[in-house]
Amino acid sequence: MDELTLTKPDDWHVHVRDGAALHTVVPHTAAQFGRAVIMPNLRPPITTAAQAQAYRARILAAVPSGLRFEPLMTLYLTDLLPPDEIVRAKAAGVVAVKLYPAGATTNSEAGVTELRKTYKTLEALQREGMPLLVHGEVVAADIDVFDREAVFIDTQLIPLRRDFPELKIVLEHITTRDAAQYVAQADAFTAATITAHHLLYNRNAIFSGGIRPHYYCLPVLKREAHRLALVRAATSANPKFFLGTDSAPHPAHLKEHASGCAGCYTAASALELYAQAFDAAAALDKLEGFASFFGPDFYGLARNQGTVTLRRANWTLPQSYPFDQAQLKPLCAGETLSWKLG
Ligand code: DOR
Ligand code: ZN
């Protein structure tokens, strides 16, 4: 197969930042996807319906003319987010609420310190039928960084699932066999997104020939056995698994740093990277469901109209993009990919 036409896909998890950065990254996402779920971990975080609406307008102002792109907005869950704000958010078109355990990742300082504190708000979320998007990692210092996701499932997610049986939950950017198995056996209220980088790489990528900060993201890449389990899940045609790039831009000098930021920038070549991963698994015929159907079905939104076409063709990713006053280095900068969009 040398050509693949898909119903226009969506990205169910992306970071586009704010200000001047929007003008680099929004055009990349809008060129690939019809819609994208926009993460709210700005500084300060997006915690009100009004902030989400204003942020949406700033994103739309960065969409190049001629492209149709719909940002799907989210709120950032804190210990203090009031249940009323969920009702206002729903009315304002906000599609979901994001749970960051406090301290788990970039700009998560305002995140949740204890799930119980949010239960009134989660009840409102369940009532409104809005999904809770979960960064599923515990942060305790005595838990190994590679075990954070599996421990989160056992100690946080299983009790949460039991306490809110009809709350739609998306376990975001899953990285382990444990998560893939948990989601596969869970009921229809539970789903997961999978990034391209977790399908393509195992943790060796972070250490091959020296420390490679552009492969550092959270949850961190895991062993090969986990990568293989994610590939099986993504290519299984199980509608619980769908596309979420977790593309997370940081200026290159803050990734190539003594304390480098977490996040892989994949937005500019997202579909090409997923095609590479599905092709390697001889499962290109499963890409459309994963990229274009299962996400909107889970969120209760219509599938997109229109199509995109991927062609088998070698092309080389740029070394970097201008990013405000800095540079943004994509994952696989300067490397050759074998699928090209458009
Ligand atoms: O690698 C990551 N980067 N993981 C996250 O959870 C957040 C993201 C970011 O915002 O940079
Ligand atoms: Zn993310």
Side-chain angles (χ1 to χ4, degrees):
M1 199 193 304
D2 289 329
E3 203 175 279
L4 184 62
T5 295
L6 309 174
T7 299
K8 183 115 187 163
D10 303 303
D11 184 351
W12 297 93
H13 183 131
V14 70
H15 301 263
V16 296
R17 313 304 186 203
D18 207 349
L22 292 174
H23 296 280
T24 299
V25 304
V26 170
H28 289 162
T29 289
Q32 297 241 336
F33 297 106
R35 296 167 288 194
V37 172
I38 309 295
M39 288 299 121
N41 62 332
L42 304 183
R43 253 179 228 264
I46 301 294
T47 54
T48 67
Q51 286 172 337
Q53 279 177 312
Y55 185 30
R56 179 172 182 276
R58 296 195 295 280
I59 295 167
L60 284 173
V63 176
S65 58
L67 285 181
R68 280 186 50 188
F69 172 69
E70 191 186 345
L72 302 173
M73 307 312 292
T74 61
L75 290 194
Y76 184 117
L77 185 64
T78 69
D79 289 351
L80 301 173
L81 185 70
D84 300 358
E85 201 58 43
I86 301 298
V87 178
R88 279 191 288 276
K90 171 94 178 186
V94 168
V95 300
V97 170
K98 178 69 188 276
L99 161 65
Y100 290 104
T105 188
T106 309
N107 298 347
S108 64
E109 299 77 12
V112 171
T113 60
E114 206 191 311
L115 269 173
R116 285 246 156 233
K117 294 184 178 166
T118 68
Y119 267 28
K120 285 269 176 292
T121 303
L122 296 185
E123 275 164 26
L125 210 55
Q126 178 170 255
R127 218 168 29 241
E128 297 293 336
M130 278 165 86
L132 178 69
L133 314 182
V134 177
H135 183 112
E137 290 194 285
V138 295
V139 295
D142 58 339
I143 304 295
D144 191 278
V145 71
F146 293 99
D147 296 334
R148 285 177 165 189
E149 185 173 277
V151 174
F152 181 91
I153 292 169
D154 289 343
T155 64
Q156 309 288 311
L157 188 56
I158 290 173
L160 180 70
R161 187 65 297 169
R162 196 170 50 225
D163 292 346
F164 295 93
E166 299 201 349
L167 176 62
K168 286 188 188 181
I169 294 177
V170 185
L171 189 55
E172 298 289 333
H173 42 55
I174 60 170
T175 62
T176 57
R177 183 176 41 205
D178 314 62
Q181 281 173 355
Y182 172 77
V183 171
Q185 60 75 46
D187 62 26
F189 289 97
T190 311
T193 54
I194 306 181
T195 77
H197 44 288
H198 289 99
L199 293 175
L200 289 167
Y201 299 105
N202 63 39
R203 65 192 190 180
N204 290 351
I206 310 168
F207 306 105
S208 66
I211 193 142
R212 304 249 234 140
H214 295 283
Y215 291 90
Y216 173 56
C217 64
L218 288 171
V220 71
L221 295 171
K222 304 295 193 298
R223 300 178 169 274
E224 178 66 2
H226 294 293
R227 188 190 72 83
L228 291 171
L230 298 177
V231 170
R232 280 195 299 276
T235 61
S236 66
N238 182 337
K240 287 182 170 152
F241 299 103
F242 47 85
L243 187 157
T245 62
D246 197 19
S247 177
H250 292 277
H253 66 277
L254 295 182
K255 285 197 64 70
E256 298 162 6
H257 189 274
S259 167
C261 295
C264 297
Y265 187 66
T266 54
S269 52
L271 287 172
E272 290 96 335
L273 292 167
Y274 280 107
Q276 197 101 11
F278 277 63
D279 196 9
L284 282 170
D285 61 321
K286 303 296 192 307
L287 185 57
E288 186 177 39
F290 176 81
S292 313
F293 296 160
F294 305 152
D297 294 354
F298 185 80
Y299 274 72
L301 297 171
R303 295 174 180 179
N304 287 325
Q305 306 281 317
T307 59
V308 297
T309 298
L310 286 152
R311 294 192 173 78
R312 200 183 286 281
N314 288 340
W315 65 289
T316 303
L317 262 83
Q319 289 292 349
S320 67
Y321 305 98
F323 189 54
D324 196 359
Q325 306 297 315
Q327 298 288 302
L328 173 58
K329 291 196 188 168
L331 192 73
C332 305
E335 292 179 31
T336 299
L337 299 183
S338 50
W339 287 90
K340 184 83 189 87
L341 186 63

